[in-house]
Amino acid sequence: MATPVLTSSTSVTSDSRPSIRTKFYTRLSEKSLDENEISFSDTSPSCPQYIQSKLCIVTVGLPARGKTYVSMKLARYLRWIGINTKVFNVGNYRRKNVGARQSHKFFDPNNKDAIEQRKRCATEALKDVIKYLNVEEGQVAVFDATNTTRERRDMVAQECHRNLIKVFYIELVCNDDDLISENIKEVKINSPDYQGIDQEEAVQDFSKRIKSYTTIYEPLDLQYDRDCSWVKLIDVNKRIVANRVVNHLQSRLVYFLMNMHIKKRNIYICRHGESECNMLGQIGGDSDLSLRGKQFAVKLGEFINDRKIPGLKVWTSQLKRTIQTSRHLDVDSEQWKALNELDAGACDALTYEEIQEKFPDEFALRDQDKYHYRYPRGESYEDLVHRLEPVIMALERQENILVICHQAVMRSLLAYFLDNAQEELPYIKCPLHTVLKLTPKAYSCEVERYPIDVPAVDTHRPKPKITVLSRSEKEALENLPEHY
């Protein structure tokens, strides 16, 4: 495996009006500063940029090896860290152009008419990949197909190279018959190809489809493909082979794939119990739990302990309110600094009313672009997402787990699992005293909500309608959550 080359491309714009990408608004308004305050620049990006050239990820492997599962999971991860990514599933193009219900005979390597039809579908998908990357605002595209022959992979690579797009192959190999059989039963027979068809008949037909691909399958080879960038995952990460991993983004992709598993598990996630700062309407801080917050901690212990969840792990932040919330659990908690609440910097432990009074321009600027805005001497949601990336990698390795965290942290974690857009992330509702149970599925994530019967203040502030700097105090403070 080549040593990854770590690069970054942070740049400073000379334009006095930053673009939406560089709108990080980290200054305090001049009239709010006194002589002892520090001024902040609004032109430095809040996170490094990882894309130096457009990239096409090309999946390789026999059917029922998890290619679409990996494609969608990778795309969700890349979008979460701010990279515009889209999956182009060639099977969807085939279903659109020739119909969904095609028997295994359509995939017979001796069926010349079907071969031409499937080639046209792949060509159409590849054209859309190139359009997405070179005309639209795409940065990474995933060309999700079997791509089992060298001829097909060479065709994709040549077209990408002509359009100055780099190619990175991900091959999935599985020799575990039980795992393949489980994947066929859980995923493939529920696909549009087999809707309304008897399950046993569908399994038999799909198994014959796999045999057709097996006869022409040419795996990635260390000698033949030595000049290509690729990673081969064998039996769901029991063994990984990587070749020519040449830049930072590719190394991140390999690291993500190394941490991934497909075991069934549940992720329980909740905020800490109501805190004294919550009662006062203050953001951030490091206060103790309120009386009702302590009652929630007891109820949470009962809720989790009664379920006797096998192998459960518990993570909290290093702030008092999450640690106190975990005290009645039968499982010892592990404290993560990365799970601490978003750092509000100069606005920490202030109420929204106090922020409006002291820093009205900052309050308005945050409402204009809440995801990218960075608090003076603090963080933005974008900063928080990148701080949480090691947590996501660790979560991908875990089985059953309970994460007790904070509002902004919970929003960011949910946005990863539920594939929320950046503009949606800062407004995801995460009420106090409610436990969410996440169950990752093949192509989605199931969410179950369990409100715990202990009252708490509402800390959710909807997106304001008026965000201009010249707004009145009344307009700035509309829809504030109630507090004492």
Side-chain angles (χ1 to χ4, degrees):
M1 173 178 174
T3 303
V5 179
L6 303 181
T7 62
S8 63
S9 58
T10 54
S11 60
V12 177
T13 176
S14 59
D15 191 343
S16 61
R17 299 182 62 189
S19 68
I20 188 66
R21 181 64 190 164
T22 56
K23 260 191 199 174
F24 299 107
Y25 302 122
T26 59
R27 66 190 182 283
L28 286 169
S29 60
E30 290 182 3
K31 58 185 177 183
S32 300
L33 286 168
D34 62 36
E35 293 180 353
N36 296 320
E37 292 283 0
I38 303 172
S39 61
F40 303 89
S41 167
D42 65 346
T43 56
S44 59
S46 64
C47 67
Q49 305 301 300
Y50 302 113
I51 296 295
Q52 293 180 319
S53 60
K54 302 302 177 82
L55 179 68
C56 179
I57 298 172
V58 179
T59 61
V60 178
L62 295 170
R65 265 56 179 180
K67 296 181 299 299
T68 299
Y69 171 78
V70 169
S71 296
M72 295 181 69
K73 203 173 183 72
L74 269 179
R76 177 163 53 85
Y77 161 68
L78 291 173
R79 286 192 291 266
W80 184 71
I81 62 173
I83 297 173
N84 295 332
T85 306
K86 186 175 180 180
V87 176
F88 296 82
N89 181 275
V90 176
N92 289 337
Y93 285 80
R94 185 251 307 163
R95 283 183 277 271
K96 180 185 73 172
N97 291 330
V98 300
R101 292 190 178 181
Q102 302 293 332
S103 75
H104 68 276
K105 295 178 182 179
F106 183 80
F107 303 91
D108 188 324
N110 297 314
N111 187 336
K112 294 184 179 180
D113 289 341
I115 289 173
E116 284 303 312
Q117 290 183 72
R118 288 190 284 126
K119 185 176 180 180
R120 284 196 294 271
C121 293
T123 301
E124 180 184 346
L126 188 56
K127 287 181 180 178
D128 286 347
V129 164
I130 293 167
K131 178 182 177 183
Y132 173 70
L133 294 176
N134 283 352
V135 179
E136 301 172 11
E137 295 184 353
Q139 296 171 296
V140 175
V142 184
F143 187 73
D144 177 23
T146 54
N147 297 309
T148 47
T149 66
R150 289 170 179 168
E151 179 184 5
R152 171 63 61 81
R153 296 196 293 270
D154 288 346
M155 181 270 287
V156 173
Q158 289 169 10
E159 194 63 28
C160 286
H161 293 158
R162 268 198 295 269
N163 288 275
L164 303 179
I165 298 168
K166 290 188 176 182
V167 174
F168 185 72
Y169 298 103
I170 298 177
E171 182 175 21
L172 290 98
V173 178
C174 185
N175 303 309
D176 187 330
D177 291 336
D178 291 337
L179 193 60
I180 295 170
S181 178
E182 184 179 349
N183 190 18
I184 292 174
K185 291 178 181 178
E186 287 196 4
V187 180
K188 294 303 179 182
I189 63 171
N190 294 316
S191 76
D193 290 354
Y194 294 106
Q195 284 185 359
I197 297 178
D198 176 74
Q199 178 173 323
E200 186 175 340
E201 181 184 349
V203 170
Q204 290 177 355
D205 184 83
F206 195 81
S207 297
K208 291 177 181 178
R209 184 192 299 190
I210 293 175
K211 288 182 180 179
S212 294
Y213 276 101
T214 302
T215 61
I216 59 171
Y217 182 25
E218 296 173 299
L220 292 170
D221 182 78
L222 282 169
Q223 183 60 33
Y224 183 86
D225 300 296
R226 63 186 180 276
D227 295 327
C228 302
S229 296
W230 52 266
V231 60
K232 187 191 296 264
L233 309 179
I234 303 170
D235 290 335
V236 194
N237 293 357
K238 287 184 179 178
R239 186 180 171 211
I240 297 176
V241 181
N243 186 76
R244 287 185 63 82
V245 179
V246 296
N247 61 34
H248 184 54
L249 178 59
Q250 291 180 12
S251 70
R252 287 167 70 95
L253 294 175
V254 172
Y255 183 59
F256 178 82
L257 294 169
M258 289 173 64
N259 284 282
M260 189 180 63
H261 73 75
I262 60 172
K263 293 180 182 178
K264 293 181 180 178
R265 42 81 177 262
N266 295 124
I267 300 168
Y268 294 86
I269 183 169
C270 69
R271 292 173 64 187
H272 53 80
E274 180 187 71
S275 71
E276 293 172 351
C277 280
N278 293 146
M279 297 278 287
L280 298 172
Q282 297 170 337
I283 65 171
D286 189 17
S287 64
D288 294 313
L289 294 181
S290 68
L291 177 60
R292 297 189 302 193
K294 292 174 182 177
Q295 292 171 350
F296 168 74
V298 174
K299 293 277 190 178
L300 177 66
E302 295 172 354
F303 175 84
I304 295 294
N305 296 338
D306 289 349
R307 278 166 167 69
K308 300 187 184 303
I309 303 166
L312 180 70
K313 291 186 177 180
V314 178
W315 292 352
T316 74
S317 73
Q318 291 185 350
L319 300 178
K320 290 188 291 186
R321 54 194 184 273
T322 62
I323 298 170
Q324 291 171 5
T325 303
S326 70
R327 281 180 177 168
H328 299 278
L329 298 166
D330 290 341
V331 181
D332 291 335
S333 62
E334 180 180 344
Q335 298 169 18
W336 284 65
K337 185 176 181 180
L339 286 172
N340 284 1
E341 180 60 302
L342 186 150
D343 185 355
C347 299
D348 190 54
L350 299 181
T351 65
Y352 287 123
E353 293 91 339
E354 290 170 334
I355 297 173
Q356 167 63 23
E357 180 184 352
K358 294 182 178 182
F359 315 123
D361 286 357
E362 295 300 314
F363 198 45
L365 289 170
R366 187 166 196 261
D367 285 343
Q368 289 175 11
D369 187 1
K370 193 173 179 181
Y371 182 82
H372 292 107
Y373 171 88
R374 181 188 286 154
Y375 278 110
R377 293 198 297 270
E379 291 179 301
S380 66
Y381 267 95
E382 186 174 32
D383 293 327
L384 178 60
V385 162
H386 287 270
R387 169 163 45 100
L388 287 171
E389 190 173 358
V391 176
I392 289 296
M393 295 296 179
L395 279 173
E396 287 291 350
R397 293 193 297 268
Q398 300 303 314
E399 296 183 27
N400 294 324
I401 190 165
L402 166 64
V403 181
I404 303 173
C405 55
H406 307 268
Q407 181 167 250
V409 173
M410 186 170 175
R411 284 170 171 165
S412 300
L413 296 178
L414 288 177
Y416 169 76
F417 286 105
L418 304 181
D419 201 15
N420 292 102
Q422 288 181 354
E423 60 270 19
E424 299 170 341
L425 186 158
Y427 298 100
I428 297 174
K429 288 187 177 181
C430 298
L432 289 165
H433 301 179
T434 300
V435 180
L436 300 189
K437 177 184 175 183
L438 307 182
T439 306
K441 302 285 188 179
Y443 304 145
S444 63
C445 186
E446 181 182 287
V447 182
E448 299 174 66
R449 294 179 180 269
Y450 297 93
I452 304 300
D453 189 22
V454 177
V457 295
D458 181 7
T459 61
H460 183 77
R461 179 173 179 253
K463 186 175 183 179
K465 296 178 181 178
I466 301 174
T467 62
V468 294
L469 295 181
S470 59
R471 66 185 178 179
S472 68
E473 181 179 352
K474 181 180 178 180
E475 291 168 335
L477 298 176
E478 67 172 348
N479 297 327
L480 278 191
E482 293 183 4
H483 54 84
Y484 297 97

